[in-house]
Amino acid sequence: MKLLAVSGSLRKDSFNTRLAKLIADASNVDIDVATLHEIPLYNGDDEAETGIPEAVETLRRRIKAADGLIIVTPEYNAAMPGVLKNALDWLTRPGEEMKPTFGGRPTALAGATPGAWGTAFAQAGALINLRQLGCWLFPDYLRISKAGDRFDGDRADDELKGQVAGWVKRFVDFAGRG
Ligand code: FNR
């Protein structure tokens, strides 16, 4: 079993990238962490002129090599950040790549925020997009509120570590049934 956790934040001290790393460390399963720093803005003219950027193809290869995908999304104005949606858009190009990249792939949503609602709104919106992509959605969401109180640098408090470990175990079981 091999999983890929994709962080939707570009920020150096991102809670979501820290959460993705915590997810990767929470289990004996091989979980890679990807970020989206190299993905350009989608522009249909660029696609027509130069095709799919290498950074998109690299991310696609990593997704296809994984038995499950974990999207770790920040919440911006009650939605996933444009950076993450942009990456999902690129990954569905050309259209015939959408199914082999996402179709039937076990996919989980996680997110962290300094706010009170654990990225619930971003995750709810992302469900619509991921359903459209044909992902096999894990109906158990990791939502971390008050993230500033839960992390000390890269270290998480014990309760958070336990919460993440339990959630990852449940997702591994779910992905294993695929
Ligand atoms: C936010 N933030 C935020 N938080 C939240 O819980 N709900 C929200 O709707 C928003 N909206 C929002 C909009 C914009 C433009 C920014 C920049 C921020 C706060 C956000 O959760 C916080 O900045 C996190 O730290 C972002 O995630 P990373 O970068 O720490 O992973």
Side-chain angles (χ1 to χ4, degrees):
M1 165 87 55
K2 188 174 166 57
L3 303 177
L4 182 69
V6 178
S7 169
S9 175
L10 303 181
R11 208 165 67 82
K12 182 164 46 68
D13 295 325
S14 160
F15 290 119
N16 286 279
T17 304
R18 282 187 264 173
L19 179 60
K21 290 176 182 164
L22 191 61
I23 288 169
D25 292 342
S27 134
N28 292 332
V29 168
D30 180 1
I31 307 180
D32 256 2
V33 174
T35 58
L36 304 172
H37 292 85
E38 311 300 327
I39 310 282
L41 283 177
Y42 178 77
N43 178 331
D45 295 335
D46 294 342
E47 182 189 3
E49 281 164 29
T50 52
I52 309 297
E54 188 49 38
V56 175
E57 292 296 9
T58 299
L59 181 59
R60 191 199 309 286
R61 278 193 292 276
R62 294 176 75 184
I63 293 172
K64 284 183 171 175
D67 302 298
L69 178 62
I70 301 170
I71 305 284
V72 189
T73 183
E75 180 169 288
Y76 285 180
N77 298 311
M80 76 170 93
V83 161
L84 179 54
K85 177 64 165 52
N86 177 66
L88 294 175
D89 292 341
W90 261 124
L91 287 162
T92 61
R93 302 297 303 160
E96 60 268 26
E97 278 292 351
M98 184 165 108
K99 200 168 175 191
T101 306
F102 294 106
R105 191 168 306 284
T107 302
L109 277 164
T113 170
W117 301 104
T119 74
F121 297 107
Q123 292 186 5
L127 282 176
I128 295 171
N129 306 117
L130 295 171
R131 193 172 299 128
Q132 173 75 17
L133 271 45
C135 297
W136 185 39
L137 293 164
F138 181 45
D140 180 343
Y141 311 104
L142 182 62
R143 293 173 177 160
I144 308 302
S145 308
K146 307 286 176 205
D149 300 337
R150 314 300 304 278
F151 287 95
D152 178 10
D154 276 341
R155 294 167 58 89
D157 68 41
D158 287 343
E159 190 189 337
L160 178 54
K161 280 190 211 161
Q163 183 183 358
V164 170
W167 181 83
V168 173
K169 183 180 179 315
R170 294 194 295 280
F171 181 54
V172 167
D173 291 345
F174 174 86
R177 294 202 296 270

